[in-house]
Amino acid sequence: MKKNNKQVCVNECPQENRRNKKPSKNKVIKTAVFGTAFGLCASAIVGLSVALYFADKTVTTHETYQRQMDAVYSRAYYDLLDGASDLGINLRKIGVSNSPRMQQSLLYEVWSSANLAENSLAMFESNDDGLLQAQKFVNQLGDYSHTLARRVANGESLSAEERSKLIKMGDMADVYMKALRQVQTNLEDGRMFVGEGGALEGFADAFAPFAEPSFEYPEMIYDGPFSDSMENREPIALKGEIINELKGAEIVVDYLGGLGAKNIKFIGEGNGDIPTLNYSLTIEGMEAFAQLSKQGGRLVLFNMATASDSEPAVRQDAGPTCQQNALSFARKLGFDNMQVVWSSSMDGECYINLAPVDNDVILYSDLVKVKVRERDSHVIGFDATHYAYNHRERTIPAPAISAEQAEKTLSIPAVTEGRLALIPLNGAREVLTYEFECERDGTYFVYIDALTGDEANILYVVDDADLGSQTM
């Protein structure tokens, strides 16, 4: 349910939290507009270079043109990063999808991203073999995905060999994304692209793995399905009277007193989409922060500082005690009929996602997230923003097909029984589905529409050493 900060997702698949095993997280297609835009950017680089050469040799003029050139390179780089963010994920989704409609949509999205990458990479002129091979990869990927998209649109089906090739291309896309993140590390250190020691000097070096005979991939961890679920802009779950700061302080004591909250101080109001009363406090001598909704006095956010553990970072499943304490804490706050839908542990902290259940249907839009310290199962964080935005009385239709019928539409084997879940789709509507956890060279969550039998969504569990595990 994808991403502990890491993060998306996209959004860690805990073994202990998986349900009983069976016996034995659309972009508009970018067209000629992008080609024109990047053509202009490329012309801008040439023009700026000429201007810099013939410019007056003053320090001020030199620095001015360096900043202008850096802005153009930065724009190209961040467009590359944006297009690459879900390239590997979409390729894997296509490889396991059984829906021609979804396959076609994802293939066109890959084609669009590959074209954008090809134009952007061309702006970083280099004869380095790794960068040239990366350009060749995105070029072939664009052509291949476009060809497959047109065939699917004409009613043809993807072969097993084509599915396998798409998944392997997803592995190469991971290496491509890792190279871009290596450049990002240099930029975050304050470097510009141009100038002595600039990020441009090491740009081609980041793509060296493409010139090697084999690739190595980073390990990964996660955040659960729909952890970034749709949010209405109005917090429809918040009801009741408007509270003042004194009443709010009493509520903080009631909610957090059991955790040892002391020195509670009102520090101001938040005037965002959810109007809040904000409080500072201490727990175990550590600073903490709490936000209550002005309407109804609900705890929306809570977080406390913790001393870092000396043990190395280890990702594992959140234990049952952590899950039980998370559920107990949520019940104390008035969040009833909740179920653990995702849990994981890293660096001594458990991350647990809870969702309400209505007539055996999981309501993924209404997630509540709880962070628990692993060594003593002490609650150290809480986030109910999704619940505040989305929770309401719903009329949920009865499924038109059974879980067994839904499972027959899967193209890869399920490792759990199908369970009913109301999921957010395209950020604007909810769909009743059967959720299946599946395995094939990685973990997927496949959602089959319980009314039509069509694939509604596919989430792939992505592991990232820096950003954590997530589903995308």
Side-chain angles (χ1 to χ4, degrees):
M1 302 199 10
K2 203 133 31 339
K3 272 188 159 162
N4 297 325
N5 290 329
K6 73 155 218 250
Q7 289 250 323
V8 189
C9 268
V10 271
N11 303 157
E12 343 171 89
C13 232
Q15 299 294 328
E16 291 179 8
N17 191 49
R18 290 181 183 171
R19 301 178 303 284
N20 295 329
K21 304 285 184 181
K22 290 188 170 184
S24 46
K25 206 302 319 188
N26 298 329
K27 297 177 182 176
V28 176
I29 295 176
K30 304 172 183 71
T31 56
V33 175
F34 282 103
T36 304
F38 284 102
L40 292 173
C41 288
S43 299
I45 287 182
V46 175
L48 287 170
S49 300
V50 173
L52 180 60
Y53 179 80
F54 290 105
D56 199 354
K57 304 300 184 186
T58 66
V59 173
T60 301
T61 303
H62 182 77
E63 290 180 348
T64 298
Y65 278 103
Q66 276 195 330
R67 286 195 298 270
Q68 291 173 331
M69 293 176 69
D70 189 75
V72 176
Y73 280 120
S74 295
R75 167 67 187 276
Y77 168 73
Y78 283 108
D79 280 333
L80 275 173
L81 196 63
D82 180 62
S85 62
D86 54 4
L87 196 56
I89 309 306
N90 285 340
L91 285 164
R92 291 182 180 87
K93 287 183 180 180
I94 299 165
V96 303
S97 173
N98 226 16
S99 164
R101 177 180 56 81
M102 181 173 291
Q103 290 171 355
Q104 183 181 350
S105 175
L106 290 170
L107 283 165
Y108 275 123
E109 192 167 338
V110 169
W111 172 52
S112 171
S113 296
N115 284 341
L116 179 60
E118 183 181 0
N119 288 329
S120 298
L121 283 173
M123 297 173 66
F124 297 89
E125 296 184 5
S126 172
N127 291 323
D128 181 86
D129 189 46
L131 186 56
L132 292 175
Q133 290 298 320
Q135 289 175 310
K136 179 180 178 181
F137 162 65
V138 295
N139 175 273
Q140 292 179 338
L141 176 60
D143 289 344
Y144 187 62
S145 58
H146 188 217
T147 298
L148 293 183
R150 294 178 62 181
R151 285 177 44 197
V152 172
N154 290 331
E156 298 183 40
S157 299
L158 297 179
S159 67
E161 181 181 356
E162 288 165 343
R163 290 173 181 269
S164 177
K165 184 177 292 187
L166 287 167
I167 291 175
K168 289 180 180 179
M169 285 184 166
D171 293 339
M172 296 183 71
D174 288 345
V175 179
Y176 170 64
M177 185 64 186
K178 184 180 179 181
L180 292 174
R181 284 184 179 161
Q182 182 176 327
V183 177
Q184 186 177 23
T185 300
N186 292 334
L187 297 177
E188 289 173 348
D189 289 339
R191 297 190 197 181
M192 298 176 68
F193 269 99
V194 297
E196 185 177 354
L200 190 59
E201 293 182 3
F203 184 83
D205 294 340
F207 292 87
F210 277 89
E212 298 174 359
S214 61
F215 299 124
E216 294 182 1
Y217 306 102
E219 220 177 300
M220 303 203 223
I221 58 185
Y222 357 36
D223 197 8
F226 309 107
S227 59
D228 292 319
S229 58
M230 73 177 186
E231 290 184 355
N232 299 293
R233 289 299 90 200
E234 179 184 353
I236 58 179
L238 300 179
K239 310 292 182 184
E241 63 178 355
I242 303 298
I243 64 170
N244 58 28
E245 60 185 81
L246 294 177
K247 178 64 174 176
E250 295 175 359
I251 294 174
V252 171
V253 172
D254 182 44
Y255 286 163
L256 304 179
L259 302 181
K262 299 178 180 178
N263 305 319
I264 298 167
K265 297 178 182 178
F266 175 70
I267 58 175
E269 296 187 8
N271 296 313
D273 293 324
I274 302 177
T276 60
L277 300 176
N278 303 332
Y279 296 85
S280 67
L281 54 145
T282 59
I283 298 177
E284 301 174 341
M286 308 294 290
E287 294 183 354
F289 171 79
Q291 274 191 335
L292 299 180
S293 63
K294 288 182 67 175
Q295 184 171 18
R298 280 270 196 179
L299 184 64
V300 178
L301 285 172
F302 159 65
N303 195 50
M304 64 173 283
T306 57
S308 59
D309 292 331
S310 58
E311 293 89 358
V314 176
R315 198 261 308 168
Q316 57 188 16
D317 300 332
T321 303
C322 288
Q323 296 182 20
Q324 291 166 8
N325 282 14
L327 284 167
S328 297
F329 184 74
R331 281 195 294 269
K332 178 178 175 58
L333 301 179
F335 295 90
D336 299 319
N337 200 28
M338 306 293 284
Q339 178 176 320
V340 175
V341 293
W342 185 271
S343 70
S344 65
S345 176
M346 183 179 180
D347 292 335
E349 295 178 349
C350 302
Y351 300 87
I352 299 163
N353 287 0
L354 311 176
V357 179
D358 184 353
N359 290 324
D360 296 325
V361 178
I362 297 168
L363 307 179
Y364 268 117
S365 296
D366 304 358
L367 281 182
V368 171
K369 306 176 186 181
V370 186
K371 184 166 62 171
V372 181
R373 190 167 54 207
E374 191 170 20
R375 60 180 167 83
D376 58 6
S377 298
H378 193 291
V379 174
I380 57 175
F382 179 83
D383 181 349
T385 51
H386 289 304
Y387 189 99
Y389 279 121
N390 300 316
H391 187 65
R392 62 195 182 276
E393 292 293 329
R394 294 172 170 89
T395 301
I396 301 176
I401 62 173
S402 67
E404 291 75 16
Q405 290 172 313
E407 186 175 356
K408 291 178 181 179
T409 68
L410 300 175
S411 64
I412 55 177
V415 296
T416 61
E417 301 289 343
R419 64 180 182 183
L420 285 170
L422 193 69
I423 67 169
L425 198 62
N426 299 326
R429 64 190 182 96
E430 295 177 322
V431 177
L432 181 65
T433 66
Y434 286 103
E435 177 191 65
F436 295 94
E437 183 181 338
C438 302
E439 296 281 349
R440 175 175 290 173
D441 298 325
T443 300
Y444 298 82
F445 287 92
V446 182
Y447 296 86
I448 304 299
D449 192 314
L451 301 182
T452 67
D454 296 330
E455 281 179 351
N457 204 352
I458 298 175
L459 300 179
Y460 176 70
V461 177
V462 178
D463 294 332
D464 186 280
D466 299 319
L467 300 179
S469 296
Q470 54 187 317
T471 54
M472 301 183 70

